[in-house]
């Protein structure tokens, strides 16, 4: 578990080391939280283990299983 404030402004990269963007906000949907990522386009990534593989607060990034074209 993380505080939302700790996730804001973290860089988001995928397994191919492509930068998706930066966390700008989080949304509560009832089922789970969703990361709002701003990059070349906006991405909404569910904050669940299937998509969020690692949160590294020390190095300020989140590793996700997510494509740039999703």
């Amino acid at each position: 578990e993380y505080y939302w404030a700790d996730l804001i402004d973290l860089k988001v990269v995928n397994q191919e080391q492509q930068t998706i963007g930066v966390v700008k906000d989080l949304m509560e949907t009832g089922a789970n939280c969703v990361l709002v990522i701003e990059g070349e386009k906006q991405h909404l990534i569910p904050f669940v283990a299937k998509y969020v593989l690692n949160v590294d607060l020390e190095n300020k990034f989140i590793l996700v299983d997510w494509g740039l074209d999703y």
Side-chain angles (χ1 to χ4, degrees):
E1 292 188 26
Y2 301 93
Y3 291 109
W4 284 17
D6 292 339
L7 302 176
I8 300 296
D9 292 329
L10 292 185
K11 182 177 172 180
V12 179
V13 296
N14 64 16
Q15 293 174 297
E16 290 78 33
Q17 298 304 310
Q18 299 169 311
T19 299
I20 293 176
V22 176
V23 178
K24 287 301 176 188
D25 200 5
L26 287 100
M27 299 188 306
E28 180 65 53
T29 64
N32 53 269
C33 294
V34 174
L35 297 168
V36 179
I37 312 298
E38 291 294 336
E40 288 187 26
K41 68 178 194 174
Q42 185 180 69
H43 294 266
L44 302 175
I45 302 176
F47 195 72
V48 295
K50 179 177 179 180
Y51 301 115
V52 178
L53 306 177
N54 185 39
V55 176
D56 187 335
L57 294 177
E58 184 176 317
N59 293 305
K60 301 183 185 267
F61 79 92
I62 299 174
L63 178 65
V64 295
D65 183 6
W66 200 262
L68 290 177
D69 56 347
Y70 292 3

